[in-house]
Amino acid sequence: MGRAAQQGGDGIDDGLLTLLADSAASGRPCALATVVRTESPTSAHPGDKAVITADGALHGWIGGSCSEALIRREALVAMSDGMPRLVRIRPDVEALETRNGGELTVATTCPSGGTLDIFIDPRLPRPLLVVIGQSPAARTLVELGRVVGFRTCGVHPGAHAVDFPGADRVLETLDLGSLAEEKDCWVVVATMGHYDDDALQAALTLAAADVALVASVRRSAAVLDTLRQRGVPEAQVARVRAPAGERRAGAQEEIALHALAEVVALRHERITANPVAAPAALAGFAVDPVCGMTVDTTDAANTATHAGQTYFFCCSGCADQFVADPARFLRAAAG
């Protein structure tokens, strides 16, 4: 996507705007990389942008081969930890990566000799709140969920969009297959005695979802027993938080408030207790020990083996230098 592509009012190519919007709507993470500073010689210019999707693909332009793999790698890290970062690429006599908080400086001996500063802004999907039922509590949950930052999905057999004002999605059946890929998913069954067991059984088909039932203690026990009688495995039944919320509330709106407060609290606890590890996709990148640039190992054309280990290079020139004197470059990398 070149610099001449049509741009929106904020300076982003229309194609990239569409990609950002599609990623947000589908719940897929991505990252927006923007060139903020350059020093010649470089093929990038301040304002150049690219969107990196969750599969590591780069759409747009932030410079040539010396920067692309590095930015793809760092974008995947940003999507993993949710933190923006500034990547500085600098010419130097020795290859070295230095991290300081949210800033990565890459010193490279690449002959191109240009300087690039690129800001990476992760765009993570909002968590999804799925509310099953058409009770006042269910409708209030959808409204409150939207206010506190959830994407919302209202579910009720025969439902229409007008039944859940403001919801991002409305499903008219209990077939939740379209939500199967959601990772940060929270389901609250607020059917209030109407098809509770069917709703719970449908919710439990979402393997990654947290599932809660709004009901009394007695009603909750009866519904869970029904699931067991239907042959739902005990491990699945045990996933249900029932009754949702620890306090008893009077009005339907208060019930919704307590149920949502519990979801928000649990979500924050789990994020804190389970920090996200670097994505497995990072295994597909390596650092060229000669020039210091990042190389995509899945399609690297230049490799060399030394002492039983394979090294990857951005070009044949770096590979030839390494083969001639591997100890020199390995000492520099170790230092």
Side-chain angles (χ1 to χ4, degrees), residues 154-235:
V155 182
H156 178 69
H160 302 284
V162 295
D163 296 322
F164 295 96
D168 294 288
R169 299 182 66 176
V170 174
L171 300 182
E172 61 181 11
T173 73
L174 292 179
D175 180 0
L176 306 184
S178 62
L179 308 178
E181 299 302 316
E182 294 285 348
K183 303 301 181 185
D184 193 356
C185 182
W186 302 78
V187 181
V188 179
V189 174
T191 41
M192 300 305 183
H194 300 281
Y195 66 95
D196 295 349
D197 39 18
D198 292 337
L200 271 184
Q201 193 165 359
L204 290 173
T205 64
L206 301 178
D210 177 277
V211 180
L213 171 65
V214 176
S216 67
V217 173
R218 184 175 179 179
R219 176 64 184 170
S220 296
V223 173
L224 297 183
D225 281 342
T226 298
L227 293 185
R228 294 185 183 97
Q229 293 168 14
R230 291 182 176 184
V232 177
E234 187 61 35

Side-chain angles (χ1 to χ4, degrees), residues 218-311:
R218 184 175 179 179
R219 176 64 184 170
S220 296
V223 173
L224 297 183
D225 281 342
T226 298
L227 293 185
R228 294 185 183 97
Q229 293 168 14
R230 291 182 176 184
V232 177
E234 187 61 35
Q236 291 285 70
V237 175
R239 289 176 51 203
V240 180
R241 287 189 295 103
E246 296 182 356
R247 297 183 180 182
R248 293 186 61 83
Q252 290 275 300
E253 291 76 13
E254 292 177 349
I255 292 172
L257 179 62
H258 286 304
L260 183 60
E262 185 177 69
V263 166
V264 171
L266 284 173
R267 183 171 182 272
H268 282 294
E269 288 176 11
R270 292 179 187 182
I271 291 173
T272 302
N274 301 290
V276 179
L282 294 190
F285 296 93
V287 175
D288 184 325
V290 175
C291 70
M293 293 312 303
T294 299
V295 181
D296 186 338
T297 62
T298 60
D299 60 1
N302 300 283
T303 64
T305 301
H306 174 73
Q309 182 172 343
T310 301
Y311 295 88

